[in-house]
Each structure stands twice: as structure tokens, then as C-alpha cells.
């Protein structure tokens, strides 16, 4: 075996090992998610982002903040004017350049809930879009809980369903009369049909995914130029290599 063949074999072995580790990691992550429904989000869908922002500021801002997001940045990325944001999304009297802070003072939240509701700026990055989407779809009535609600994705969550008027009321069907929830049934329809509500949950998840990493929008736009640059550089490097090695071969 020549030295070049030995080097090539080692390189292929390294790629095979890296690919195996990647596949194993991906399978483990899928297993840990426990069969959550696919959120189907697309942060490049500006209409979905705008609908999701509307839902967040109408149903979530009362308790949850986005302390790493600014109204001005949201306006820029979502194609909204300052007037649009200040008239339709800003209900706290904040300035256009301020970060998004909840209506509820932290001391009041401590008094009402025992702890302040979490900031949602990084929620999707921490738990994935599928988890958030599944969570929004999985509330059900549970009179044994202090707030009267429970959730199959996050059991015993200390949070009522903020979107119950849109979704309606779900009740749990338990396996063989036990405690384990087999499925959820819609016992009282909401303002939206099930399909419309799933789209609303997807829009809200899309907005939270964007908030978790606003730079993703720019990164995707710049990506094509980076790939073109790398392709051009690779071609020039190939020509240079041929020029250097033409006397050797």
C-alpha cells in the first residue's frame, strides 16, 4: 500500500466515524423528544411571523417577557413600520427601542404564581420548536390542579391554557380508567377549528423560534453568497494547485 493510499484510507475512516457519531446523536435526540408532533415552522415565512407576533402580544405578554428582543428589531425583521409596532404590539407604553417586558411586575408574579413566569426569549432554543408546538396543543382540563389545567407534554405545568378561547376545551381520555392519558378530546369547540388552531400554534412557535435567534434570518440570506464565495475560492485553489504541481507530475 502506497503512502497516498494509506492517507486516503485514514481520511475515509475519519469521515465514516464522524458520520456515525452524527447519526447516533440525531437518533438519540429524536428518541428523547418522545414522538412530539412536527412543528413545521419556517422563519422565512414573514406572514407567519407577523401572525405569531400578534398572538404573542395579545395572549402571552401579560405574563411572559422577551427581554432579549427589542420592538425596533422585531419591526425591522418582520417588515413592520414603527407605527405598526407601537399601535398594535406595544401595550406597555415602552419606547420603540426598548426590550419586550411583560405587563406583570415580578413581585406580583411571585405573589400570584409562587415564581415569576419564565422569559421566552430562548424557549425554542432550549426546548426545540416541536416541544413548544406540542405544548401549545396539549392543554386539557384537570380539576385536580390548582389552575384547573394540565398538559401532556409538560405534566403538572403551573400554567393555564392562554389560548383556550381559540382552541376550545380539551379533556383527557385515560387508559383503562388509570392515570395515564391516552389521548385528548375536544369537549367544547373554540373560536377556531382544530386545523386553524394548529396553524395559530405553528405561527406562535415560528415567532418564538425567530426570537430565539433573530440572526437566523440574516444568516440564511448571506448563506448563498458564502457558498458562492467558497465555490469560487475552491476553483481558484484548484487552478493554483495545478500550477504548482504541473512540474512534479
Amino acid at each position: 500500500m502506497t503512502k497516498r493510499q494509506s492517507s486516503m484510507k485514514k481520511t475515509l475512516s475519519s469521515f465514516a466515524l464522524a458520520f456515525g457519531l452524527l447519526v447516533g446523536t440525531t437518533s438519540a435526540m429524536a428518541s428523547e423528544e418522545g414522538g412530539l408532533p412536527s412543528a413545521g415552522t419556517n422563519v422565512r415565512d414573514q406572514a407567519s411571523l407577523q401572525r405569531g407576533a400578534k398572538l404573542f402580544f395579545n395572549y402571552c405578554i401579560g405574563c411572559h417577557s422577551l427581554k432579549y428582543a427589542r420592538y425596533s428589531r422585531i419591526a425591522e425583521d418582520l417588515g413592520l413600520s414603527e407605527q405598526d409596532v407601537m399601535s398594535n404590539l406595544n401595550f406597555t407604553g415602552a419606547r420603540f427601542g426598548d426590550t419586550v417586558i411583560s405587563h406583570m411586575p415580578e413581585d406580583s408574579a411571585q405573589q400570584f404564581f409562587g415564581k415569576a413566569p419564565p422569559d421566552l426569549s430562548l424557549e425554542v432554543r432550549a426546548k426545540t420548536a416541536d416541544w413548544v408546538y406540542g405544548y401549545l396543543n396539549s392543554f386539557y382540563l384537570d380539576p385536580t390542579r390548582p389552575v384547573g389545567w394540565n398538559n401532556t407534554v409538560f405534566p403538572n405545568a403551573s400554567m393555564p391554557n392562554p389560548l383556550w378561547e381559540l382552541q376550545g376545551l380539551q379533556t383527557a381520555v385515560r387508559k383503562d380508567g388509570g392515570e395515564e392519558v391516552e389521548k385528548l378530546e375536544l369537549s367544547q369547540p373554540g373560536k377556531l377549528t382544530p386545523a386553524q388552531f394548529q396553524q395559530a400554534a405553528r405561527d406562535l412557535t415560528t415567532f418564538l423560534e425567530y426570537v430565539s435567534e433573530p440572526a437566523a434570518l440574516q444568516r440564511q440570506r448571506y448563506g448563498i453568497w458564502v457558498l458562492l464565495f467558497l465555490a469560487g475560492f475552491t476553483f481558484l485553489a484548484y487552478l493554483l494547485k495545478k500550477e504548482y504541481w504541473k512540474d512534479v507530475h
Side-chain angles (χ1 to χ4, degrees):
M1 181 182 294
T2 66
K3 186 179 293 186
R4 179 175 295 181
Q5 288 174 327
S6 177
S7 176
M8 180 64 72
K9 185 175 181 181
K10 289 180 180 179
T11 301
L12 291 174
S13 297
S14 298
F15 276 122
L17 176 61
F19 180 75
L21 290 173
L22 177 61
V23 171
T25 302
T26 303
S27 300
M29 290 176 63
S31 177
E32 288 176 2
E33 288 180 2
L36 289 169
S38 174
T41 55
N42 178 11
V43 293
R44 290 171 293 178
D45 185 345
Q46 194 172 82
S48 179
L49 287 173
Q50 291 176 354
R51 294 192 300 268
K54 180 180 178 181
L55 287 166
F56 179 86
F57 285 100
N58 278 280
Y59 291 95
C60 307
I61 190 64
C63 296
H64 297 282
S65 298
L66 300 174
K67 63 182 180 182
Y68 299 122
R70 297 184 182 276
Y71 290 97
S72 54
R73 178 65 184 270
I74 292 173
E76 177 183 351
D77 290 340
L78 271 61
L80 302 172
S81 67
E82 180 176 351
Q83 180 63 35
D84 291 334
V85 170
M86 300 304 282
S87 299
N88 301 307
L89 302 182
N90 180 7
F91 306 125
T92 63
R95 294 171 298 182
F96 187 55
D98 288 347
T99 56
V100 179
I101 303 300
S102 166
H103 293 242
M104 186 181 299
E106 189 169 337
D107 56 348
S108 297
Q110 291 280 357
Q111 179 183 350
F112 298 151
F113 302 112
K115 62 182 296 185
D119 179 89
L120 298 183
S121 301
L122 302 176
E123 189 72 6
V124 169
R125 291 196 69 178
K127 297 181 178 176
T128 76
D130 291 349
W131 191 96
V132 173
Y133 175 74
Y135 176 71
L136 292 172
N137 278 281
S138 300
F139 280 96
Y140 64 94
L141 293 173
D142 185 351
T144 67
R145 297 295 300 156
V147 294
W149 294 89
N150 210 327
N151 192 286
T152 57
V153 172
F154 187 15
N156 300 326
S158 299
M159 174 180 167
N161 184 2
L163 305 177
W164 71 269
E165 289 184 311
L166 303 179
Q167 183 184 29
L169 304 178
Q170 293 191 129
T171 53
V173 177
R174 303 186 184 275
K175 290 184 177 179
D176 301 323
E179 294 299 319
E180 186 178 355
V181 176
E182 180 177 13
K183 62 180 180 178
L184 300 177
E185 290 185 344
L186 188 65
S187 57
Q188 179 179 317
K191 295 179 180 179
L192 303 180
T193 65
Q196 289 172 334
F197 178 77
Q198 288 173 6
Q199 182 60 54
R202 182 172 298 111
D203 293 336
L204 180 52
T205 304
T206 301
F207 175 69
L208 291 176
E209 182 176 357
Y210 149 74
V211 169
S212 291
E213 191 181 4
L217 296 177
Q218 283 79 7
R219 186 176 67 246
Q220 291 170 356
R221 287 198 291 265
Y222 298 153
I224 183 63
W225 298 106
V226 172
L227 292 174
L228 289 174
F229 169 79
L230 291 175
F233 178 81
T234 301
F235 179 68
L236 292 175
Y238 172 73
L239 294 179
L240 185 62
K241 179 260 184 187
K242 286 192 67 176
E243 182 66 23
Y244 279 158
W245 285 82
K246 66 180 182 181
D247 295 332
V248 177
H249 296 295

